[in-house]
């Protein structure tokens, strides 16, 4: 078999056989296929797509390229959550303790942030002492003791995805539906959970700019999960504007804790409760209405916050910083961004705001960049709000004063003020299950 022939076949729109796909992934993972040939293949997929059967086989081949996490020795229903990535998306810090407090077991591997999107691992590591790169034994030990652990993605799981994702990142082939579906689901399959909820973000600042594309991606991922015996559902949620009001690592922990106290912003609370309820439903904790109530009651009772404290302490972190997040501290340099004119906020482009946060030090420009845990943005206004000339729209925070001006410029480019209130968009567009789209 030759990689050259596989590239030609895909370039011409042909469907690859199981043998070809498995051969390609094995040889690429072993280093026998060079990146330049794989890049050509990825670009061919970008333009020609893949059939559902090809996508399912690709996912399986990627999942089998390394080890898998065996959770069978851990009692209880194991649940997992995945977000396709957004700005201000701290829902993992809220959803996972809610479902763990309801008796589900959470053994979650999360990513680090890159570019304009943040990563749960970086958020957790803004808590002093917190270790989110646990060895496999330590990770399983924390899961057994507290019912919940969150750690960084293990390099032994789906190594083909790690290599492919790095290549896609530099060859402009990330935003291909079959490649995203295979990438996400290969990691979810090897992570060993029984139930999975996917949060597929749609809008500016996401891979999927339209609801139609997001639904299509969700349908593919749900189909792969069902085929592999998982209970799985996806919510399509709005990412035209950042979720909540705080963007940046320690700032997001603080807002998540406030939400776990029942005092969070409405959008963040609503999306988090919907994801938690969906996961509880998959874990058979009741019908959808029971699960919504269970999620809400668990949040209101404080049990979910106590679960987050237990997890942080089991992973070496300072639990008092979760109970009292003001102890996380504030960045020393702050700049208020004021409205240059009065009217309504008509746009708050989340990608641009994510980049502004990155420029402040909250995210990584390259994989090697150091994170400033205290850097970020506190929004005072969001899309739809009225604003007076000179009123504060946001506060930029950083530990490096020299970063403020560039971040302010990027922030201002991302926000528009008009004279008419914009049309309100839904927060949750659809739910995708094996029964279809609702
Ligand atoms: N997240 C992933 O893990 N993979 C993708 O391809 C896109 C988002």
């Amino acid at each position: 078999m030759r990689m050259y022939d596989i590239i030609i076949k895909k370039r011409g729109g042909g469907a690859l056989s199981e043998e070809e796909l498995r051969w390609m992934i094995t040889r690429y993972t072993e280093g026998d296929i060079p990146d330049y040939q794989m890049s050509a293949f990825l670009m061919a997929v970008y333009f020609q797509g893949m059939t559902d059967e090809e996508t399912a086989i690709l996912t399986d081949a990627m999942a089998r390229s390394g080890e898998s996490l065996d959770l069978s020795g851990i009692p209880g229903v194991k649940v997992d959550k995945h977000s396709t990535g957004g700005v201000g998306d701290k829902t993992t810090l809220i959803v996972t303790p809610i479902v763990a407090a309801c008796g589900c077991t959470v053994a979650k591997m999360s990513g680090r942030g890159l570019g304009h999107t943040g990563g749960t691992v970086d958020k957790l590591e803004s808590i002093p002492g917190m270790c989110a790169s646990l060895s496999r034994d330590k990770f399983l030990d924390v899961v057994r003791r507290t019912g919940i652990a969150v750690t960084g993605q293990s390099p032994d799981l789906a190594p083909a995805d790690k290599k492919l994702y790095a290549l896609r990142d530099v060859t402009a082939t990330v935003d291909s539906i079959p490649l995203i579906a295979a990438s996400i689901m290969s990691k979810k399959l090897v992570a060993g959970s029984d139930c999975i909820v996917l949060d597929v973000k749609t809008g500016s600042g996401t891979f999927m700019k339209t609801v139609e594309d997001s639904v299509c991606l969700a349908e593919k991922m749900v189909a792969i999960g069902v085929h592999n015996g998982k209970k799985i559902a996806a919510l399509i949620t709005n990412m035209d504007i950042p979720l909540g009001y705080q963007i940046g690592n320690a700032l997001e922990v603080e807002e998540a804790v406030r939400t776990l106290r029942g005092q969070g912003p409405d959008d963040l609370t609503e999306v988090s409760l919907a994801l938690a309820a969906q996961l509880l439903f998959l874990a058979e904790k009741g019908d959808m209405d029971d699960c919504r109530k269970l999620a809400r009651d668990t949040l209101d009772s404080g049990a979910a916050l106590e679960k987050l404290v237990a997890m942080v302490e089991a992973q070496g972190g300072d639990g008092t910083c979760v109970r009292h997040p003001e102890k996380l501290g504030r960045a020393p340099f702050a700049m208020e961004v004021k409205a240059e004119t009065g009217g309504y906020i008509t746009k708050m482009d989340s990608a641009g705001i994510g980049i502004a946060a990155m420029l402040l030090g909250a995210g990584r420009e390259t994989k090697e960049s150091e994170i400033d845990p205290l850097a970020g943005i506190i929004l005072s206004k969001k899309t739809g709000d009225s604003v007076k000339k000179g009123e504060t729209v946001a506060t930029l925070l950083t530990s490096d004063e020299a970063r403020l001006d560039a971040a302010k410029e990027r922030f201002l480019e991302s926000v528009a003020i008009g004279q008419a209130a914009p049309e309100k968009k839904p927060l949750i567009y659809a739910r995708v299950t094996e029964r279809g789209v609702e």
Side-chain angles (χ1 to χ4, degrees), residues 254 257 261 319-329:
E254 188 187 325
V257 169
R261 289 216 169 94
T320 59
C321 285
V322 178
R323 287 212 175 84
H324 307 285
E326 62 282 1
K327 290 195 173 172
L328 292 169

Side-chain angles (χ1 to χ4, degrees), residues 82-85 161 165 168 174 176 179-184 187 207:
H82 184 87
S83 158
T84 56
D161 175 62
Y165 194 77
R168 287 167 57 212
V174 169
S176 147
L179 295 179
I180 298 176
S183 164
I184 293 176
K187 287 176 291 209
F207 303 114

